[in-house]
Amino acid sequence: MLPKKIVYVYQFFRTPEEGGIIRSYYLSRSLVDAGYEVEVITSHNEKQYACRQIEGLTVHYLPLHYEQRYGTFRRLYVYLAFVLKAIGCALRIRNVYRCYIASVPLSVGFIGLAMKWFKGVPYYFEVGDLWPRTPIEMGYFKNRFLQKFLYGLEHLFYEQAEKVIGLSPAIQSDIEERINRPVAYISNIADCEFYQPRSKDPALENRWNAAGKTVITYFGSIGKVVALDALLDIARLGQNRTDLSFLIVGTGSELPHLKQKAVGLDHVQFLGHVNKGQLRDILSITDVAYLSYLDVPALGTNSPNKLFEALAAGKLCVINIRGWHCDMIESEGCGFYADQKNPQQFYDKLKPYLQQPEFLHQASENARRLAETQFSRQKLGADFVALFNVEQPSLHRNHVLVNS
């Protein structure tokens, strides 16, 4: 008997060697380990289509250039082009058991509809951010008729999906309230094997001029949504302090603006794009992981990959918006909220950790424990596989599906 075939669609699929967000890699690999056949549909910045065999996965790379610095209209074009190409690719794959569609953006739902309507293949729809709510709250799509249309599409994608999966409990609850159906919750993954708490290496400290300093690091994309001006406001308030170092890791459309704003702040360094191994080194000398977002309600529901990497590395986490993740790190004793409009609050809340190093050590242990017990890839991989065992659905709410 041939193994059941699952088509996994995610526009930004990456392997550990490539770096970036590799949740889709680990989840699709967990299906292979469970005996499923998996074909991944994704994109790459090359000019030609490519199909590669990667550790049991068949990966279809669609040619589609994308960069984080792209503006709104160019991004929309890329998203639409991916949908059209992915539909064509998916419809050519034979003997498909289920199709797993991972957003964002919302438009990938059309791929699921095409598989269901034209081939009779049920699809699961994963929601990483609440679209279109998030871009609407950020000031995009101001036309009310367009907003109504987009919300209608969102509802259609959810209703037609056999199962809906949220990446955070806040997303899960939000969707359940609106579609009156049970929704799964499978969070982002903390790679506890790759990222681990480590003692500071003097050579790495010297490389980034951080010897003897408390290091505050932001890592990830640098676009409008992350509102990193808040971190530079904090750095400017403490520009005369010699005991602090600020590292900003990543690239994006807002990078030129931030570099201009940081002129004269000698304790701020921009490290650009790094691979996963380099990020691990940077986190090894980091004391505080700073998570930053625009202060809009929808972003308080998101599930940022960087949070889980910071937890795995055992870092004190500071976040500048309220939400489920903020509540979690505060209740677990591994971080705190700092109002992005009040830079002094960051220093006031950080002060006990600087004055009493045992507090920082305890926060590190708490972060690592949280990563290991709730967000390990082994645990979440098993929960993910359980989604496809439709004959024996789980009845637990946290991290697994209540069968719909």
Side-chain angles (χ1 to χ4, degrees):
M1 181 177 178
L2 293 174
K4 294 179 179 179
K5 182 184 295 184
I6 295 170
V7 172
Y8 192 123
V9 182
Y10 182 52
Q11 185 171 351
F12 306 107
F13 176 87
R14 298 291 183 269
T15 64
E17 291 73 23
E18 294 173 303
I21 299 174
I22 57 175
R23 178 179 186 271
S24 57
Y25 166 83
Y26 284 132
L27 293 183
S28 56
R29 282 284 299 121
S30 70
L31 291 172
V32 172
D33 292 341
Y36 289 93
E37 182 180 351
V38 181
E39 297 201 26
V40 177
I41 299 176
T42 187
S43 66
H44 64 172
N45 285 354
E46 306 299 325
K47 295 182 179 181
Q48 301 294 329
Y49 162 85
C51 183
R52 299 174 188 147
Q53 299 297 317
I54 302 175
E55 298 185 56
L57 302 171
T58 299
V59 184
H60 302 269
Y61 289 93
L62 307 179
L64 199 62
H65 196 88
Y66 175 87
E67 294 184 26
Q68 202 281 330
R69 61 180 176 84
Y70 283 173
T72 302
F73 290 105
R74 193 168 183 183
R75 286 191 187 195
L76 291 175
Y77 166 78
V78 173
Y79 294 155
L80 178 60
F82 175 74
V83 166
L84 295 175
K85 292 184 178 185
I87 288 175
C89 182
L91 292 177
R92 289 192 293 271
I93 300 174
R94 297 181 178 181
N95 303 319
V96 179
Y97 168 64
R98 290 291 187 277
C99 189
Y100 191 86
I101 310 294
S103 68
V104 295
L106 176 67
S107 54
V108 296
F110 285 112
I111 306 167
L113 291 182
M115 291 293 283
K116 180 177 182 178
W117 292 351
F118 298 135
K119 297 196 71 173
V121 175
Y123 72 93
Y124 297 174
F125 195 68
E126 175 187 289
V127 184
D129 285 313
L130 290 175
W131 282 58
R133 179 182 162 190
T134 297
I136 288 173
E137 289 186 359
M138 289 175 61
Y140 301 108
F141 310 132
K142 295 181 180 180
N143 183 284
R144 291 189 178 183
F145 293 103
L146 178 57
Q147 291 178 8
K148 185 175 181 180
F149 171 74
L150 292 174
Y151 278 119
L153 273 183
E154 177 196 32
H155 190 78
L156 175 66
F157 295 151
Y158 296 162
E159 285 296 322
Q160 290 293 307
E162 184 173 55
K163 299 179 182 180
V164 180
I165 300 94
L167 261 68
S168 77
I171 291 175
Q172 177 190 38
S173 298
D174 181 277
I175 298 174
E176 282 183 338
E177 290 174 1
R178 290 185 289 122
I179 68 172
N180 195 29
R181 284 175 52 196
V183 172
Y185 163 41
I186 296 183
S187 78
N188 259 322
I189 290 173
D191 191 346
C192 294
E193 286 70 36
F194 189 83
Y195 295 105
Q196 298 190 21
R198 292 163 53 187
S199 299
K200 293 189 177 185
D201 183 339
L204 294 176
E205 288 184 298
N206 290 331
R207 180 188 303 177
W208 290 298
N209 192 30
K213 298 179 181 180
T214 298
V215 179
I216 299 103
T217 300
Y218 169 85
F219 59 97
S221 62
I222 303 178
K224 178 181 177 182
V225 69
V226 298
L228 267 185
D229 287 79
L231 183 58
L232 291 186
D233 291 340
I234 290 170
R236 188 166 298 280
L237 184 62
Q239 62 184 320
N240 295 323
R241 298 186 58 158
T242 59
D243 61 329
L244 301 179
S245 178
F246 293 84
L247 305 180
I248 297 177
V249 184
T251 61
S253 57
E254 291 294 298
L255 187 57
H257 158 72
L258 292 173
K259 286 185 173 180
Q260 180 61 38
K261 183 171 181 175
V263 171
L265 300 179
D266 296 333
H267 58 333
V268 176
Q269 299 177 67
F270 293 88
L271 305 187
H273 173 75
V274 299
N275 62 33
K276 195 175 179 184
Q278 292 168 322
L279 177 60
R280 179 171 59 182
D281 287 342
I282 293 168
L283 287 178
S284 74
I285 65 163
T286 293
D287 299 288
V288 181
Y290 187 81
L291 292 89
S292 180
Y293 287 95
L294 280 175
D295 191 12
V296 298
L299 292 175
T301 69
N302 68 0
S303 184
N305 186 68
K306 66 197 76 172
L307 169 62
F308 300 91
E309 292 173 328
L311 292 175
K315 301 304 163 185
L316 175 69
C317 298
V318 178
I319 189 165
N320 64 7
I321 61 169
R322 288 290 186 183
W324 76 276
H325 29 44
C326 181
D327 296 339
M328 178 182 69
I329 62 174
E330 290 188 328
S331 65
E332 296 290 338
C334 56
F336 59 82
Y337 164 78
D339 186 347
Q340 60 187 264
K341 299 176 182 177
N342 180 8
Q344 184 59 48
Q345 187 179 95
F346 172 85
Y347 290 106
D348 293 341
K349 291 189 173 184
L350 182 64
K351 186 176 181 180
Y353 296 96
L354 301 182
Q355 292 183 335
Q356 302 182 68
E358 64 270 21
F359 286 1
L360 188 62
H361 178 73
Q362 185 61 58
S364 173
E365 290 188 342
N366 293 344
R368 178 67 184 188
R369 184 181 307 111
L370 180 61
E372 292 177 338
T373 58
Q374 295 192 34
F375 305 117
S376 71
R377 59 186 172 96
Q378 290 82 4
K379 171 179 172 48
L380 298 181
D383 292 343
F384 183 68
V385 171
L387 290 175
F388 297 89
N389 298 332
V390 294
E391 294 80 9
Q392 295 179 329
S394 172
L395 298 179
H396 297 287
R397 176 180 175 84
N398 288 335
H399 291 302
V400 293
L401 182 77
V402 181
N403 189 33
S404 58

